[in-house]
Amino acid sequence: MNIMPIIADSTDELTSIFKDLHAHPEIGFQEHRTSEKVVEKLREYGVDEIHTAIAGTGVVGIIKGKREGARRVGLRADMDALPIDELTNLPYASKNPGVMHACGHDSHTTMLLGAAKHLAATRDFAGTAVLIFQPAEEGLGGARGMLADGLFDRFPCDEVYGMHNSPSGEPNKVGICKGAAMAGASFFDITVQGKGSHAAMPQQSRDPLVIASQLVGNFQTIVARNVAPLDTCVLSVTQLHSGSAYNVVPDTATLAGTIRYFKDEVCELVHARMREICEGFAKAYGVEITIDLRNIFDVLMNDADLSDAYMEAAADIVGAENISNTDEPATGSEDFADMLKVVPGAYCRIGHSGTVGLHNPGFFLDPALLPVGASIMARIAERRLSA
């Protein structure tokens, strides 16, 4: 490891910040305490400008290099937690019932603060580093909220970089996938409005539960028989709710779930087929079916040249032997994709010890990752602002 000296000397501080954020997680657009902590540290580090309340709780810091330059490089971290009860038994486990940093956004925020400390202290670059602390990544539209609030109009960037922790990988291994790296995603909600009855006289009903259960199976034929075999697509029904008694056929049933894809035309095809299937079932069974399909994440596209630049910067920190430029695309989604649709850039994954996956109540992130990630983020800014 070639950890930057200021960051190495700040390892205990970064660990303390991380544990504090982990113990006080906040759901998307409610990251008030987290934002205050970020602002407090940016002020302490001597960041030139600090802008708050972007998309509610977002923060942007500006650091100017000591040499003249017009280039502006963005570094982004997400801040929100998940609605999960933590089961790690860590001494710094969540103090907020039902909320947990189960995806590592507390580490992303901490790493960007570490990079900020180094960049503000050294300023060994030409141009401007733009530090973006984003709220509400977990499906609530935080990136789109910041963009709607004029993020890149107010703070223009020539390129922008992000990072995500990767459990169950080899510690300090950094990987990137060029091009389409993470799936786009739609969420859907469906309501089947049938006719209830006594359960002993089902002939008097138009049973929405039977219809909803058939919809679940029929939706799987879309991927199996409508999407081309070489086009990756996932359609998962993740919720089915109906009824409240043993002896009553309910009036309504609701379904919800997600679609993951790497081509917009695949998403459009799946949306169209779902609507057609719902219309057909409604007519066949004499019920009303409403469907709400909405895009939540775009496909995350890594710029090929900037991906190379990112991995070169990472190699300065972890060594070329710990770099992989051949990571496979992931069917998980990430709303940094929305920023990359506006400004070119790249998004990498960095491994750490821990075998429990993301979005799990037992998820653990090794704090040893913090100075490594902070150094990589600082290094890509320095490299690109000296190019």
Side-chain angles (χ1 to χ4, degrees), residues 27-82:
I27 295 296
F29 294 124
Q30 298 177 27
E31 309 95 331
H32 301 289
R33 184 186 184 279
T34 304
S35 294
E36 289 171 4
K37 186 74 173 180
V38 166
V39 169
E40 172 191 323
K41 301 309 290 186
L42 293 179
R43 284 180 180 149
E44 178 184 326
Y45 299 155
V47 168
D48 296 303
E49 300 174 22
I50 303 170
H51 302 265
T52 61
I54 303 164
T57 49
V59 178
V60 170
I62 303 295
I63 303 174
K64 298 175 182 177
K66 61 186 177 184
R67 300 192 300 277
E68 290 290 329
R71 290 192 62 76
R72 299 170 69 92
V73 169
L75 303 175
R76 173 269 197 181
D78 38 16
M79 302 187 294
D80 58 323
L82 286 157

Side-chain angles (χ1 to χ4, degrees), residues 287-300:
V287 297
E288 182 181 348
I289 301 178
T290 58
I291 180 169
D292 175 28
L293 287 154
R294 55 198 183 278
N295 173 263
I296 302 297
F297 300 102
D298 288 310
V299 178
L300 189 147

Side-chain angles (χ1 to χ4, degrees), residues 219-381:
F219 286 158
Q220 300 311 309
T221 68
I222 298 172
V223 175
R225 288 295 178 266
N226 298 127
V227 176
L230 296 182
D231 285 335
T232 299
C233 182
V234 176
L235 195 167
S236 293
V237 179
T238 56
Q239 300 179 52
L240 199 167
H241 305 285
S242 187
S244 59
Y246 290 102
N247 58 352
V248 177
V249 174
D251 285 309
T252 61
T254 60
L255 303 91
T258 185
I259 305 156
R260 304 298 167 110
Y261 60 91
F262 288 96
K263 295 180 179 178
D264 289 343
E265 55 267 33
V266 170
C267 179
E268 292 166 4
L269 167 65
V270 174
H271 282 197
R273 288 295 296 130
M274 289 181 72
R275 289 192 179 97
E276 289 166 357
I277 290 171
C278 286
E279 289 171 5
F281 269 67
K283 186 174 182 179
Y285 287 98
V287 297
E288 182 181 348
I289 301 178
T290 58
I291 180 169
D292 175 28
L293 287 154
R294 55 198 183 278
N295 173 263
I296 302 297
F297 300 102
D298 288 310
V299 178
L300 189 147
M301 299 293 295
N302 278 331
D303 180 273
D305 292 337
L306 298 183
S307 294
D308 287 337
Y310 205 1
M311 291 302 95
E312 289 169 7
D316 290 346
I317 307 302
V318 301
E321 68 278 8
N322 287 313
I323 299 298
S324 171
N325 283 296
T326 57
D327 265 21
E328 294 181 350
T331 51
S333 299
E334 161 62 58
D335 80 349
F336 186 55
D338 296 308
M339 294 189 186
L340 292 179
K341 286 191 75 173
V342 181
V343 174
Y347 190 74
C348 74
R349 295 187 282 247
I350 180 167
H352 61 87
S353 60
T355 58
V356 179
L358 303 172
H359 293 215
N360 186 294
F363 172 73
F364 167 77
L365 187 141
D366 185 355
L369 177 68
L370 302 172
V372 182
S375 293
I376 292 172
M377 297 194 87
R379 187 61 179 142
I380 184 61

Side-chain angles (χ1 to χ4, degrees), residues 155-167:
F155 316 104
C157 292
D158 296 291
E159 53 203 69
V160 63
Y161 298 89
M163 175 184 293
H164 204 292
N165 73 91
S166 182

Side-chain angles (χ1 to χ4, degrees), residues 208-219 240 255 277 281 285:
L209 185 50
V210 170
I211 298 165
S213 62
Q214 291 187 57
L215 282 173
V216 174
N218 272 263
F219 286 158
L240 199 167
L255 303 91
I277 290 171
F281 269 67
Y285 287 98

